[in-house]
Amino acid sequence: MPSEVQSAASRLTGVPATSAHPIGGSVYEVRLENGARLIAKRYQQKNDVIAEACGLRWLAEPRAVRIPRVRGHDDGWLVTDFVTPGSPTPAAAEALGRNLAILHAAGAPAFGSPPSGGPEDATIGMARMSNVECDSWPEFYARYRIEPYLRKAVDQGKFDAAEARLLSRVIEGIEALAGPPEPPARLHGDLWSGNVHWGADGRAWLIDPAAHGGHRETDLAMLRLFGCPNLPRIIDAYREHSPLADGWKARVHLHQLFPLLVHTVLFGGTYASQTVSAAQAALAQRSV
C-alpha cells in the first residue's frame, strides 16, 4: 500500500513522494521530495471524496477557522496539508469559539444543503448521510437525521417498542422542541473533539467534516458529546461573539440525538441507552 499512496500523492500534487506510512485506518502521512508533509486518505466511493473535498473548501471560504488545504483528489484519494500537532491552550480555545461563530454566520443556501459542489449522498464517519435542502431546520433534522437512523436501529433490534415510540415523540414534537427559528448556518457537521486538531501553531484546525447547512447549536452540542479541552472557554467565547437563543442548554440533547443514533446503528452497546436518555431529556425541555 505505501507505493500506491506515494503514487497517488505524486499524481495529485505534481511532486514526487518519497515515503508514506499509515497513521490510522485508511489515512497516511506522506513526505514529498520537496520536504512537504501531507495527509492522503483512501476512499471506497467517489462521492465520499468529493463530499470531503468540497466540505473542506466550503468551510475554508470564510477564512474563519483553520482548515487543512486540499492539494488534490481523484475518484479514490484525497490529499491535504499535514498539520503538525500541538497542545490545546485556553487562548486557542477562545479563538476557536469566536471563529466558529464567524464560520456559522457565513451561512448556507438552505437547511440540509450540501457544500458548494458537493453531493447529496455523503457520510458522517462510517455512516451514510443525506444532505437534502428543506425549508426549515425542524423538517430537515426530523426527516433526514433522526428518522433514517431510528428506522435502522429499530430494524437492528437496538430499541424495543416503547423506546422507539419515545424517539418518535421527538420527531412528532420537533417544532416545539427546536427553539426560535434561525437562518441556516455553515456547519462542520461532525464536530466531536477528535475532529478538532490542535496544531503546533497554537490554533485549532478542523478536520474530517460532514459539512452542510444546519443549526449552529448542532456543532456546539457535538463538542459537548464526547468532551473537548477547554470547552467552557470555547462556548463562552462563542456566545460573547454571537449570543445563543434562550434555552440553548436545554436543546443540547436534541442536537445530540443524531450522532447518538449513528453510533447506536454502527456500534450498539451503551449508545442505545444514551440515545433514549437524550430523547427523554429533549422531551423534558417542553416543561422547562
Side-chain angles (χ1 to χ4, degrees):
M1 180 60 83
S3 61
E4 183 183 350
V5 180
Q6 289 176 228
S7 175
S10 299
R11 182 176 69 254
L12 292 171
T13 63
V15 180
T18 57
S19 67
H21 68 271
I23 58 175
S26 56
V27 182
Y28 301 82
E29 181 185 339
V30 179
R31 283 190 178 271
L32 301 184
E33 192 175 70
N34 61 9
R37 297 167 73 188
L38 303 176
I39 292 293
K41 294 179 68 175
R42 183 78 167 98
Y43 295 81
Q44 297 301 313
Q45 297 187 36
K46 179 180 178 180
N47 260 14
D48 298 345
V49 185
I50 296 172
E52 179 151 354
C54 290
L56 289 168
R57 289 172 174 143
W58 191 58
L59 295 176
E61 280 178 6
R63 299 182 181 276
V65 293
R66 288 288 184 95
I67 304 292
R69 179 164 53 114
V70 175
R71 292 293 195 97
H73 64 87
D74 58 17
D75 290 356
W77 290 94
L78 172 68
V79 177
T80 64
D81 283 342
F82 177 89
V83 178
T84 303
S87 300
T89 65
E94 291 170 4
L96 174 59
R98 290 190 295 271
N99 293 336
L100 268 179
I102 297 170
L103 172 68
H104 290 164
F111 294 104
S113 62
S116 178
E120 288 187 356
D121 178 30
T123 61
I124 179 167
M126 297 182 292
R128 305 313 302 172
M129 182 183 80
S130 295
N131 290 323
V132 180
E133 293 190 356
C134 294
D135 292 334
S136 72
W137 181 78
E139 176 195 3
F140 162 69
Y141 194 63
R143 186 173 179 183
Y144 294 104
R145 291 298 183 260
I146 301 179
E147 283 183 354
Y149 282 92
L150 175 56
R151 287 196 300 269
K152 289 180 182 179
V154 170
D155 290 345
Q156 292 174 353
K158 303 291 177 59
F159 299 122
D160 61 29
E163 291 167 336
R165 178 57 189 159
L166 175 73
L167 286 155
S168 294
R169 285 175 54 203
V170 175
I171 296 172
E172 294 162 3
I174 191 73
E175 293 285 350
L177 298 172
E182 294 203 356
R186 187 170 303 208
L187 297 191
H188 176 280
D190 190 14
L191 197 58
W192 71 290
S193 60
N195 287 340
V196 179
H197 181 85
W198 302 95
D201 63 356
R203 291 200 182 187
W205 296 68
L206 303 189
I207 61 174
D208 297 344
H212 64 279
H215 197 301
R216 60 194 180 124
E217 291 176 12
T218 299
D219 269 353
L220 301 181
M222 281 286 286
L223 281 176
R224 283 176 167 266
L225 187 57
F226 300 112
C228 185
N230 297 303
L231 182 58
R233 289 180 179 269
I234 296 173
I235 301 297
D236 287 349
Y238 185 105
R239 294 178 62 208
E240 183 177 345
H241 188 280
S242 297
L244 296 168
D246 289 347
W248 67 272
K249 285 185 178 180
R251 292 187 293 272
V252 167
H253 297 288
L254 175 65
H255 289 273
Q256 290 177 344
L257 271 181
F258 172 57
L260 285 172
L261 280 165
V262 170
H263 279 71
T264 297
V265 168
L266 292 177
F267 309 115
T270 61
Y271 289 115
S273 61
Q274 286 181 256
T275 302
V276 170
S277 295
Q280 291 170 330
L283 290 167
Q285 72 164 284
R286 288 184 299 188
S287 62
V288 174

